[in-house]
Amino acid sequence: MSSYGGKKARNISIFFIISLIIFMSGIGAAPRFAYADSAGIPPANIVDLTVVNVGSSSVQLTWSAVGADGYVEPATAYDMRVAQYDFTMGAWNSLTRVTGTPMPGQPGIQESFALTGLTPSTMYYIAVRGVDSFGTLSAAYNIVSATTTSAGPAIVTNVLFSPRLESIMVPSGKSFTISLYNAGTATIAATFTATADVNGRVALPAVISLPAGMYDILVSSPRYLRKKIFGYNVSSHANIVLPIQPVGDLNNDNIINSLDWSAMSVKWFLNDANADVNGDGIVNSIDWSFLSKNWFQTGD
Ligand SMILES: [Ca+2]
Ligand SMILES: [Ca+2]
Ligand SMILES: [Ca+2]
């Protein structure tokens, strides 16, 4: 047993010594070949810079990667310049250098970069050159131009409507249908039905993407004539006070006439939510007085 154990110990120590020799001699380590970038050889020219997409504040670009020497070994960096005029080589150093350009990949691969922070509806001229470890730039380049798109109107948020009803404060939970027409047209940009909050206000639902701009706004609510305001400039955080809706259209046909009186008269002296115009719990001459006052009025 002891001789076996001694043989094992000897084998382990021989293995350890051989490993140490291999380690110290560098045999077995990954070979490393440092590429000697030549100062005299610039990165190849980048002449395939291409605009692939244009937004209101960004331009998406692609080009083929160049190397530190021509197309050999990845370059050190890219030097991209942007101007609002068609520039010449002599102007290069005076142009704004774009930050955030990608680390050069293997020569020949396609690089992709989004130039951001641009002004809408503006023409830009862009070029890119490879840079080697000596700071030598590609000798030549192509210039691309792109005009950013217009910004477009912002989508409004936190818009409130304050409907107004003849004879009563707007009660919490009262239902309103509000339609926003593109101003001066019959085109509805948005329409929704929602109930009033405890302050009698109706919020534009967050799911509606309404661009800021001019709208004609139609409001309707059961028993009240529809009312429209024209040319309202809707923006975020607006609180839009709507016109007073006359009461008495019990059958919701947007006119107050004998049909509404018929609907009221059959509820005379009763507690009927629809015919009780002023909400005092009884249908009587007070409710009739509202119909009488608004007789033959029509809504918008
Ligand atoms: Ca070089
Ligand atoms: Ca009616
Ligand atoms: Ca009443």
Side-chain angles (χ1 to χ4, degrees):
M1 287 299 285
S2 65
S3 86
Y4 178 81
K7 188 179 178 186
K8 185 185 178 188
R10 195 160 54 246
N11 286 349
I12 289 172
S13 65
I14 289 167
F15 177 77
F16 174 79
I17 290 164
I18 291 170
S19 298
L20 189 65
I21 291 167
I22 290 171
F23 174 78
M24 293 184 73
S25 66
I27 300 168
R32 297 188 62 192
F33 303 104
Y35 179 78
D37 180 12
S38 166
I41 307 175
N45 299 331
I46 298 176
V47 291
D48 68 345
L49 181 64
T50 305
V51 174
V52 292
N53 196 21
V54 181
S56 61
S57 65
S58 66
V59 173
Q60 185 79 34
L61 301 155
T62 61
W63 67 93
S64 297
V66 293
D69 292 343
Y71 287 101
V72 180
E73 277 293 297
T76 302
Y78 289 113
D79 185 343
M80 179 178 284
R81 303 279 167 141
V82 59
Q84 292 183 29
Y85 59 93
D86 196 2
F87 52 85
T88 60
M89 186 72 85
W92 185 268
N93 288 330
S94 68
L95 304 178
T96 305
R97 182 170 179 180
V98 174
T99 57
T101 49
M103 281 295 294
Q106 289 297 322
I109 71 153
Q110 187 179 72
E111 303 283 19
S112 182
F113 177 66
L115 177 59
T116 58
L118 305 178
T119 304
S121 304
T122 303
M123 192 168 189
Y124 288 94
Y125 295 85
I126 307 151
V128 64
R129 299 162 82 175
V131 187
D132 72 9
S133 62
F134 297 94
T136 311
L137 296 170
S138 308
Y141 50 83
N142 69 312
I143 298 176
V144 293
S145 63
T147 301
T148 49
T149 60
S150 63
I155 300 300
V156 297
T157 58
N158 301 98
V159 172
L160 289 173
F161 299 87
S162 292
R164 289 183 294 164
L165 299 175
E166 184 185 31
S167 80
I168 58 167
M169 298 292 289
V170 171
S172 173
K174 175 77 173 166
S175 176
F176 291 89
T177 298
I178 294 173
S179 299
L180 295 105
Y181 295 76
N182 293 327
T185 77
T187 305
I188 294 178
T191 187
F192 65 94
T193 298
T195 55
D197 64 16
V198 292
N199 297 313
R201 290 174 178 165
V202 177
L204 180 70
V207 295
I208 292 181
S209 292
L210 185 74
M214 299 290 281
Y215 295 96
D216 301 333
I217 304 169
L218 181 69
V219 57
S220 66
S221 191
R223 297 193 294 149
Y224 293 82
L225 295 177
R226 296 198 286 268
K227 279 291 175 183
K228 202 174 199 178
I229 53 171
F230 295 89
Y232 195 99
N233 191 11
V234 178
S235 59
S236 290
H237 300 283
N239 181 7
I240 301 166
V241 179
L242 298 171
I244 294 170
Q245 293 178 256
V247 72
D249 184 16
L250 302 190
N251 70 340
N252 299 305
D253 63 355
N254 214 28
I255 182 170
I256 296 170
N257 60 18
S258 60
L259 294 178
D260 302 302
W261 165 241
S262 297
M264 178 177 282
S265 62
V266 296
K267 303 294 183 183
W268 204 251
F269 289 147
L270 299 177
N271 182 359
D272 179 80
N274 191 50
D276 182 14
V277 166
N278 70 340
D280 65 355
I282 186 167
V283 178
N284 60 19
S285 60
I286 298 172
D287 303 302
W288 159 248
S289 68
F290 283 106
L291 255 68
S292 172
K293 182 171 76 65
N294 296 331
W295 202 249
F296 286 148
Q297 270 203 56
T298 56
D300 294 327

